[in-house]
Amino acid sequence: MSDYSLPNALPRVSRRTVLFGGAALLGSYLAGASLPSLALPASARPAPDPTQLARFMRLSNLLVNHRLDPRVGARILQTAASDHADLQALTDELIGIAERKQATIVEDFFDDIPDGKAKDLAHWIIFAWYTGVSSAKPTATVFTFEQALTFQTTIDVVTIPSYGISGPNQWRQVTVPLSPLPRF
């Protein structure tokens, strides 16, 4: 017989050891997934120029009648700048039309925008803010999901679609205490 018999060659592993190992592996995966800012590299795109961002946010506020997040605006501006070489000129043209009409909301000046690149950009900016993406294509750039204006208009009635119980990035439901039932 050989010195290497089968029962002595295999280490003994209990179910408890397998369960603890699996729990530790799962816990480390969940901890890593909950810290995306530490796990993922920073964006390769440079941050937009503050004056250009301020001008873009001014135009966005004229085109979209909602409170807009400048961080989302910076992401939209980065994509717009890469897609439109003449973005600065188009932005100035749209703001100029709004100023001539003394517009405070989109309805005051949108009909005066001539068809062409300027109107296409205005439509694209409105689309980007409402949908949170650059286009309807599968390769679209995502700017935001949670702050897309499509969901903000009904946030008090309908939760944002998500696998989280009470909305995006909210994985536990807040239990609201019930008031005591009346006694009859």
Side-chain angles (χ1 to χ4, degrees):
M1 282 192 77
S2 167
D3 290 336
Y4 299 104
S5 62
L6 189 58
N8 293 336
L10 297 175
R12 293 184 47 90
V13 179
S14 68
R15 282 185 287 171
R16 182 176 295 164
T17 304
V18 171
L19 286 175
F20 282 138
L25 190 61
L26 179 64
S28 64
Y29 170 75
L30 292 176
S34 67
L35 300 171
S37 62
L38 297 176
L40 298 175
S43 174
R45 294 182 184 177
D49 176 40
T51 56
Q52 189 180 15
L53 177 60
R55 200 109 170 107
F56 182 78
M57 289 304 295
R58 181 168 180 224
L59 174 60
S60 293
N61 283 311
L62 286 168
L63 291 171
V64 180
N65 302 328
H66 291 281
R67 191 175 13 186
L68 305 176
D69 186 344
R71 294 172 299 176
V72 176
R75 289 184 226 135
I76 295 172
L77 174 59
Q78 286 176 332
T79 300
S82 67
D83 291 348
H84 302 280
D86 53 351
L87 178 67
Q88 191 65 36
L90 293 172
T91 301
D92 292 341
E93 180 183 348
L94 291 168
I95 291 175
I97 293 169
E99 287 174 347
R100 283 191 295 281
K101 295 293 286 187
Q102 298 177 350
T104 56
I105 58 173
V106 67
E107 288 84 3
D108 293 342
F109 75 99
F110 196 80
D111 291 336
D112 295 321
I113 301 172
D115 289 338
K117 286 186 174 185
K119 192 164 239 178
D120 292 343
L121 177 64
H123 278 127
W124 183 85
I125 291 171
I126 294 168
F127 177 84
W129 279 106
Y130 272 92
T131 62
V133 295
S134 63
S135 71
K137 297 177 184 175
T139 58
T141 302
V142 177
F143 309 120
T144 184
F145 177 73
E146 201 169 345
Q147 294 180 6
L149 295 177
T150 298
F151 304 127
Q152 300 304 313
T153 56
T154 59
I155 196 89
D156 58 335
V157 181
V158 180
T159 56
I160 299 172
S162 171
Y163 289 105
I165 294 172
S166 53
N169 299 324
Q170 298 176 9
W171 296 101
R172 63 181 176 89
Q173 186 174 8
V174 177
T175 307
V176 179
L178 298 174
S179 58
L181 293 173
R183 296 180 188 244
F184 298 103

